Amino acid sequence: MNPDSLPLPPLRRAAALVLLGALALGGAAGCSTAADSTPRTPQEQPQESSPTGTPTSASTATDVGWVQLMTPMNQQAVKLLTLAAARAAEPRVREFAVRLRTGQEAELDRLRALLTRMGLPGTDVHAGHDMPGMVTVRDLEAARAAEGPALDRLVLVQIRDHLRQSAQVSRSEITSGGRADARDLAAALVTAREASLAELGRLPGAGRALG
């Protein structure tokens, strides 16, 4: 990643992650530490335009932190959902994984388009970090090694955590973000996650797996 290509300096990008973590996760640690915790205000950046030429809100540090976290969260969830769609023991879990994967991939298209509009790279700035709600490399390895009901339980727990945490982070963007298009996307994500969490809770085995 080339820091010079980003509209926000590294400390302010780190500040956004700390802000989102504090708001959404009750103080859970993120992957960066910020010396400067003041987000950049819209007045500090030039106004952008949408593809139709309509002016859009300038990006704040919160917007940057949110989109750079949500994108890899969805990418990792898609990997687990792909595995669950092929190998889950319970047919309804497989069907749920297929539907949710389709939704997460559609969200990824919108998140990547937002990254482009914001002038941000598509690289994963959280690579190698275990963020709350992120499906990790270890999680994927455990899922590949699991079979039958054990795999279903792992998928239900990991996807539940992904949906909950990404919804919380998105609520923070709705409250504190500066860009109207980012806040609108965050609101759509929250609505989708609430519906998915309700459906997940009704799946066979969910009561035992999720406590």
Side-chain angles (χ1 to χ4, degrees):
M1 179 181 68
N2 178 9
D4 294 335
S5 68
L6 301 179
L8 296 180
L11 286 179
R12 294 187 187 277
R13 292 198 309 278
L17 298 178
V18 172
L19 170 64
L20 288 170
L23 289 174
L25 307 171
C31 68
S32 302
T33 301
D36 179 358
S37 60
T38 305
R40 174 170 287 203
T41 64
Q43 289 75 21
E44 294 177 24
Q45 300 185 56
Q47 192 176 54
E48 302 173 15
S49 295
S50 70
T52 61
T54 304
T56 62
S57 304
S59 302
T60 67
T62 300
D63 300 321
V64 172
W66 175 74
V67 71
Q68 288 188 325
L69 178 58
M70 283 304 310
T71 303
M73 285 186 77
N74 270 32
Q75 289 170 339
Q76 291 298 105
V78 164
K79 294 177 183 178
L80 181 58
L81 291 166
T82 298
L83 190 153
R87 293 186 46 222
E90 167 58 49
R92 285 177 57 186
V93 173
R94 292 198 302 270
E95 293 165 4
F96 172 77
V98 170
R99 290 194 302 274
L100 184 57
R101 179 182 61 186
T102 299
Q104 296 275 296
E105 289 173 335
E107 290 175 359
L108 271 173
D109 288 342
R110 297 181 66 184
L111 287 163
R112 287 165 178 153
L114 181 59
L115 281 169
T116 299
R117 291 197 300 274
M118 293 170 67
L120 297 170
T123 52
D124 179 5
V125 300
H126 299 289
H129 301 133
D130 291 350
M131 305 295 291
M134 185 85 74
V135 176
T136 66
V137 172
R138 289 191 298 275
D139 295 331
L140 291 171
E141 290 174 347
R144 293 187 187 104
E147 296 180 358
L151 171 61
D152 290 11
R153 287 193 295 272
L154 186 153
V155 168
L156 291 172
V157 170
Q158 294 297 332
I159 293 302
R160 186 272 311 274
D161 291 348
H162 162 71
L163 293 171
R164 281 183 173 177
Q165 298 291 0
S166 56
Q168 287 291 81
V169 171
S170 294
R171 291 187 186 99
S172 299
E173 167 62 23
I174 295 168
T175 301
S176 305
R179 293 181 62 101
D181 54 353
R183 294 196 307 271
D184 288 346
L185 179 52
L189 265 60
V190 169
T191 298
R193 276 147 181 71
E194 289 174 345
S196 294
L197 282 166
E199 183 178 0
L200 185 150
R202 296 191 295 269
L203 292 174
R208 293 188 300 275
L210 307 177

